[in-house]
Amino acid sequence: MKLRKELVREIILSIIGILITIIFLFPLLIIFFSSLKTESEIFSSAMTLLPKKIDFSSYIDQFVNFNIMRSFLNSFIIALFSTMLSLILSIPASYGLARFNVPFKKSILLVFLLTQLLPTSLILTPLFIMFTKLKIINSYLGPILSTATISIPFTILIMRTIFIKAPKELEEAGKIDGCTMWQIFLKIFLPISKPGLITSASFSFIMAWNDLIFSMTFNNNENLRPMTAGIYNFMSVYGTQWNRIMAYAVLLVLPVVIIFILLQKYIVGGLLEGSVKG
């Protein structure tokens, strides 16, 4: 009887889970199926979810008539170097805040938390003035530095919690073996923090990959703009090419989907580890 109740409970939870997944995935399905339709079918009065005839011309156009690979490379460069910069700066900072008695620690953490709540538009002007004086407008550096400022507080908050949870005995064992603090950090704590590192790196990469406002503000050079800015190629005073926009959107989110599929077990594990203790 107990087993039957457990089975019924699992079936009900599975059905609820499938329904929630369908609801969340429905907008993505609409985008994907619309990208395979012709423009006339999208605006047809007889609306359908699935395309009557699969049309790949929207995807072919991205590679033949638009320089999508240039935009892809720009996004990849910005996201990769932003992620690297974020990890290099935030991981030692989070370790220090977790393992040492840093003065004003709570105030520092509060500042990091508040930076996550600030609207992006609020920091655009000071960053623009600063980047203009540094003469890095119209280069990769502006978007890289600005997107890193968003991901660094997130990474510090996640990694600090993971370093706090690491057993103190490991640190003491390292000291007994004659390791310096940097050796303990690099050889002991970094390897055991792999899920948190992958989670932080993934979210930093995705934050930079999805950036539009920083790249549009700090970059007037069309050849240096990322994929998110390319969506405007299909909007003009003569109309909007919705099937091409949908195809472009699919190609834009594809790397993000691949990252989540390949690293989902690490991302879930890292988020859970980073959310247990603040």
Side-chain angles (χ1 to χ4, degrees):
M1 190 67 182
K2 188 178 179 182
L3 287 174
R4 190 178 175 182
K5 283 185 177 178
E6 284 292 322
L7 182 63
V8 171
R9 182 172 171 272
E10 285 183 10
I11 291 173
I12 292 173
L13 289 175
S14 298
I15 292 172
I16 293 172
I18 291 170
L19 288 175
I20 292 173
T21 304
I22 291 173
I23 291 170
F24 276 96
L25 288 180
F26 192 70
L28 292 177
L29 291 175
I30 292 286
I31 292 173
F32 177 67
F33 290 135
S34 297
S35 70
L36 298 174
K37 294 179 180 178
T38 60
E39 195 75 17
S40 58
E41 188 180 348
I42 290 177
F43 289 102
S44 170
S45 56
M47 290 182 64
T48 56
L49 177 62
L50 299 175
K52 294 176 183 174
K53 183 183 176 183
I54 295 177
D55 180 22
F56 290 104
S57 61
S58 301
Y59 288 93
I60 296 171
D61 258 8
Q62 311 295 333
F63 296 95
V64 176
N65 297 324
F66 300 97
N67 195 6
I68 192 171
M69 292 310 295
R70 178 73 246 180
S71 302
F72 180 89
L73 181 63
N74 292 339
S75 287
F76 184 76
I77 290 172
I78 292 169
L80 178 66
F81 283 95
S82 174
T83 303
M84 290 171 61
L85 179 63
S86 171
L87 294 180
I88 289 170
L89 294 177
S90 56
I91 291 175
S94 57
Y95 180 73
L97 288 169
R99 311 299 296 192
F100 301 103
N101 292 321
V102 179
F104 309 109
K105 186 188 293 186
K106 288 186 178 178
S107 301
I108 294 171
L109 292 171
L110 182 63
V111 170
F112 284 137
L113 191 61
L114 288 175
T115 57
Q116 296 291 289
L117 306 176
L118 292 175
T120 307
S121 55
L122 197 65
I123 60 175
L124 275 179
T125 303
L127 284 179
F128 185 81
I129 294 171
M130 190 188 306
F131 291 166
T132 303
K133 289 182 179 178
L134 293 173
K135 297 181 180 178
I136 58 174
I137 297 292
N138 292 329
S139 71
Y140 288 124
L141 274 176
I144 288 172
L145 293 175
S146 51
T147 51
T149 60
I150 302 298
S151 57
I152 284 173
F154 171 82
T155 304
I156 288 177
L157 293 174
I158 289 287
M159 291 304 300
R160 176 181 169 272
T161 309
I162 292 172
F163 286 135
I164 286 176
K165 290 174 60 183
K168 289 184 178 178
E169 291 77 10
L170 291 175
E171 188 174 336
E172 292 167 1
K175 288 178 181 176
I176 292 171
D177 289 339
C179 294
T180 63
M181 290 307 298
W182 274 107
Q183 287 173 327
I184 293 171
F185 169 61
L186 295 173
K187 293 183 179 179
I188 298 176
F189 283 93
L190 275 187
I192 65 173
S193 307
K194 186 178 174 183
L197 290 172
I198 293 175
T199 303
S200 302
S202 302
F203 275 89
S204 298
F205 188 90
I206 291 167
M207 285 178 189
W209 181 271
N210 290 335
D211 168 60
L212 173 63
I213 190 167
F214 289 131
S215 295
M216 293 291 283
T217 305
F218 304 138
N219 217 331
N220 295 322
N221 189 340
E222 293 286 341
N223 291 325
L224 297 180
R225 284 188 167 174
M227 282 192 74
T228 46
I231 207 88
Y232 293 106
N233 290 329
F234 309 102
M235 299 177 186
S236 68
V237 293
Y238 302 107
T240 302
Q241 300 169 297
W242 286 108
N243 56 340
R244 284 166 177 76
I245 286 180
M246 297 300 176
Y248 194 86
V250 171
L251 295 174
L252 177 63
V253 301
L254 195 59
V256 177
V257 173
I258 291 172
I259 287 174
F260 268 98
I261 290 174
L262 294 179
L263 303 176
Q264 57 178 319
K265 67 176 182 180
Y266 297 107
I267 292 174
V268 173
L271 286 175
L272 289 175
E273 285 186 36
S275 62
V276 174
K277 188 176 179 180

